[in-house]
Amino acid sequence: MTSPVILRLRHHGKLGDGAADALLSCRKRNRLVEPGQCLMRQAEEMNALFWIESGWAMRHRNLANGRRQILNLLLPGDICDLQGLIHTRADHSVTAMTPVMLCEVDAGRFLDLLHNDGQLAASLLWSVVQEEGILREHIVRIGRRSARIRLAHLLLELVRRQALGGGPSDGLIEIALTREVMADCLGLTPVHISRTLSELRRDGLVTLEPQGRLRISDIDALARHADYDTRYLHLARPDHVLDRAGGAQA
Amino acid sequence: MTSPVILRLRHHGKLGDGAADALLSCRKRNRLVEPGQCLMRQAEEMNALFWIESGWAMRHRNLANGRRQILNLLLPGDICDLQGLIHTRADHSVTAMTPVMLCEVDAGRFLDLLHNDGQLAASLLWSVVQEEGILREHIVRIGRRSARIRLAHLLLELVRRQALGGGPSDGLIEIALTREVMADCLGLTPVHISRTLSELRRDGLVTLEPQGRLRISDIDALARHADYDTRYLHLARPDHVLDRAGGAQA
DNA sequence: CGCAGACTTGAAAATACTCAATAAATGTGG
DNA sequence: CCACATTTATTGAGTATTTTCAAGTCTGCG
């Protein structure tokens, strides 16, 4: 069984077994983090370089007034943080949402690899580009879309991204998300998420499964409904959920 | 007179004259872009690698429903786009807001440099980290802050960033921003920006100067008022506008 | 069974939006 | 330098969306 990191990087394009093995050979040790525990704390020195083997985590900022904004969710196969390579302080925290198995990387060996394997370096650069794309999409979502569309977009993104790391691709979100988590992602309140989700359920777009997990009933239908386009994920195979020529914009 | 790129990168830390000259030696040619013209178009192949010598531009997405979200503003000294190094399609557009002088870079020579000059590579990586920090801060701003604080934050960031590239650092924003631009940055309407800005002016925090330019009357006062902390810019010298120990969060 | 945490629902309030009319500012040509 | 056209900004009134507060319900788990 291969690591979700490799699965994810293969969505960029060709990544030979040699490059994959080389990357895996940088592993230093695994570490298990319990839900609610920090993988990285705001204002702390960043040193560790790691990826997520299993479990979900979140990047977030806590504000002086007690509010919280979730910047991004981290799924199996996501790398956190290439930025750790330069000496700087974290401007946000990362907290486990489920039990998270981390794979810590030996920075020295990793840097050697970057130098010597151009294909691998390109794939890792791609993962940075994808992460930036995800951040930008999040800005658009929060800045210019209604609560209903925001929520639909978030769910669609999560379903897509979990598939990239080897998770389910049938519309089921593999972990239970609380209303509060969705609210803090989307800049809304849990109460309003509750109402909005009820609407989506009423309209048959989303269903609630055992253990509080959500399922998108028909991914294509919801994507069409919500003007969702996966181009920002920069996947190699052009399998946009929606592949309308030209899409939305000027 | 040195390029704003060099000025900006020096805010990361030591950058010797040798490294600076090496970077400048990658210049291929300059190109002038008129206001309203695109430097890069959504869904187009990215090939060019360039930085901004003078003038302001914006990264933005145009939505199917005619709305626009500005993702980030580009100021003199900003690099656009290191991501161009990998073969992918832009997920957003970049448009000039003023006459913009671009400096196009020879990608081959640039990559050589990255390989051979570790100090320069670190500085460029820093600029990527800073850009990501700016995107994240923008998410927090839009997601969890009131219109008034959002606007104050945006102005504070712009004043700070223009100083990094050699622009004024006295609170005057060097170009006139329309209400519509500010609105599209912050996920608000121009009308509401107008009202909010009037409030800030009424309270003596901001003044309107000739040619529609804005000035922050007292940067520290506004920063305190708006819970603004520059840590996310990852500047080497810890000259946070606010240097309260520990700051806001857990 | 019963508790704790998460969810739902209602009503009232706050925030931001829309539409529309007026006022400044900017640029153009005579 | 002035009149005019054009764009941008301000202001008011009414509306829509989202929040807040609070009470009640569901669910999973020991």
Side-chain angles (χ1 to χ4, degrees):
Chain A
M1 171 177 166
T2 171
S3 166
V5 190
I6 304 300
L7 289 177
R8 209 172 79 83
L9 291 180
R10 284 202 207 278
H11 283 275
H12 168 225
K14 60 289 160 197
L15 185 75
D17 288 346
D21 289 346
L23 181 57
L24 294 178
S25 78
C26 291
R27 286 180 290 192
K28 207 162 56 186
R29 63 180 182 123
N30 280 7
R31 187 155 65 91
L32 183 67
V33 182
E34 290 305 315
Q37 293 227 293
C38 281
L39 321 198
M40 189 173 99
R41 205 180 300 269
Q42 219 158 284
E44 263 180 14
E45 202 70 41
M46 294 197 288
N47 38 15
L49 176 60
F50 53 83
W51 67 66
I52 295 189
E53 273 292 318
S54 68
W56 289 36
M58 58 184 178
R59 289 181 197 277
H60 59 101
R61 288 262 311 262
N62 294 339
L63 275 64
N65 58 18
R67 291 175 141 184
R68 176 177 73 167
Q69 176 67 47
I70 295 177
L71 299 159
N72 192 5
L73 297 184
L74 295 174
L75 275 56
D78 281 345
I79 298 171
C80 173
D81 293 85
L82 287 180
Q83 351 174 342
L85 291 176
I86 70 163
H87 174 82
T88 183
R89 282 173 187 283
D91 57 17
H92 62 279
S93 306
V94 178
T95 303
M97 300 166 67
T98 68
V100 167
M101 183 58 81
L102 247 46
C103 179
E104 293 186 5
V105 171
D106 183 293
R109 240 182 304 172
F110 182 80
L111 281 171
D112 278 352
L113 252 184
L114 276 189
H115 256 265
N116 299 322
D117 189 328
Q119 194 186 60
L120 189 61
S123 290
L124 288 162
L125 179 56
W126 167 80
S127 87
V128 173
V129 169
Q130 185 185 66
E131 195 181 322
E132 271 200 37
I134 291 169
L135 286 180
R136 279 193 291 261
E137 185 69 19
H138 203 169
I139 291 174
V140 176
R141 202 176 279 156
I142 297 180
R144 283 289 181 239
R145 319 202 91 124
S146 66
R148 182 184 170 103
I149 304 297
R150 270 189 236 189
L151 183 53
H153 265 232
L154 177 65
L155 300 178
L156 285 161
E157 177 178 311
L158 293 176
V159 160
R160 199 75 187 73
R161 285 177 58 199
Q162 74 180 355
L164 296 181
S169 58
D170 60 348
L172 179 70
I173 292 182
E174 64 184 354
I175 75 163
L177 298 169
T178 65
R179 308 293 177 258
E180 193 176 7
V181 163
M182 294 184 264
D184 286 342
C185 279
L186 298 174
L188 298 167
T189 54
V191 172
H192 200 240
I193 291 287
S194 175
R195 290 189 226 274
T196 307
L197 201 50
S198 297
E199 270 186 44
L200 291 178
R201 283 196 278 160
R202 172 176 50 78
D203 298 346
L205 295 164
V206 168
T207 59
L208 190 51
E209 306 271 314
Q211 287 146 40
R213 286 176 307 176
L214 293 171
R215 180 190 295 278
I216 300 179
S217 321
D218 177 342
I219 298 182
D220 286 4
L222 186 59
R224 226 164 8 248
H225 177 78
D227 182 36
Y228 182 74
D229 181 329
T230 60
R231 239 181 302 238
Y232 69 97
L233 293 174
H234 297 283
L235 303 172
R237 346 199 189 116
D239 52 359
H240 311 128
V241 170
L242 281 186
D243 202 9
R244 4 193 192 74
Q249 45 278 89
Chain B
M1 172 178 165
T2 170
S3 165
V5 190
I6 304 300
L7 288 178
R8 208 172 79 83
L9 291 180
R10 284 202 207 279
H11 284 275
H12 168 226
K14 61 289 159 195
L15 185 75
D17 288 345
D21 288 345
L23 181 57
L24 294 178
S25 78
C26 291
R27 286 179 290 192
K28 207 163 54 184
R29 64 179 180 122
N30 280 8
R31 187 156 64 91
L32 183 67
V33 182
E34 290 304 315
Q37 293 227 292
C38 279
L39 320 200
M40 189 173 98
R41 205 179 302 267
Q42 220 159 284
E44 262 180 14
E45 203 69 43
M46 294 196 289
N47 38 16
L49 176 61
F50 54 83
W51 68 66
I52 296 189
E53 273 292 318
S54 68
W56 289 36
M58 58 184 179
R59 288 181 197 278
H60 59 101
R61 289 260 313 261
N62 295 338
L63 276 65
N65 58 18
R67 291 175 142 185
R68 177 178 72 167
Q69 175 67 47
I70 295 177
L71 300 158
N72 192 4
L73 298 184
L74 295 175
L75 275 55
D78 281 345
I79 297 171
C80 173
D81 293 84
L82 287 181
Q83 351 175 343
L85 291 177
I86 71 163
H87 174 84
T88 183
R89 279 171 189 284
D91 57 18
H92 62 279
S93 306
V94 179
T95 302
M97 300 167 67
T98 67
V100 167
M101 182 60 81
L102 246 48
C103 179
E104 293 186 5
V105 171
D106 183 293
R109 238 181 305 170
F110 182 80
L111 281 171
D112 278 353
L113 252 184
L114 277 188
H115 255 265
N116 298 321
D117 189 328
Q119 194 185 59
L120 189 61
S123 289
L124 288 162
L125 179 56
W126 167 79
S127 88
V128 173
V129 169
Q130 186 185 66
E131 195 181 322
E132 271 200 36
I134 291 169
L135 286 181
R136 279 193 291 261
E137 184 69 19
H138 203 168
I139 290 174
V140 176
R141 202 176 279 156
I142 296 180
R144 283 290 179 239
R145 319 201 91 125
S146 67
R148 183 186 170 101
I149 304 296
R150 270 189 234 189
L151 182 53
H153 265 232
L154 177 65
L155 300 179
L156 285 161
E157 176 178 311
L158 293 177
V159 160
R160 199 74 187 73
R161 284 176 58 197
Q162 73 179 357
L164 296 182
S169 57
D170 60 347
L172 178 70
I173 292 181
E174 62 185 355
I175 75 162
L177 298 169
T178 65
R179 308 295 177 257
E180 193 176 5
V181 163
M182 293 184 266
D184 285 342
C185 280
L186 297 174
L188 298 167
T189 54
V191 172
H192 200 239
I193 291 287
S194 176
R195 290 189 226 273
T196 307
L197 201 50
S198 296
E199 269 186 44
L200 292 178
R201 282 196 278 161
R202 171 174 51 75
D203 298 347
L205 296 163
V206 168
T207 58
L208 189 52
E209 305 271 313
Q211 289 146 42
R213 287 177 305 177
L214 293 171
R215 178 190 295 279
I216 300 178
S217 320
D218 177 342
I219 297 182
D220 286 4
L222 187 60
R224 223 163 10 246
H225 176 78
D227 182 35
Y228 181 74
D229 181 328
T230 60
R231 240 180 301 238
Y232 70 98
L233 293 174
H234 297 282
L235 303 172
R237 347 199 188 115
D239 52 1
H240 311 129
V241 170
L242 282 186
D243 202 9
R244 2 193 196 74
Q249 44 278 96

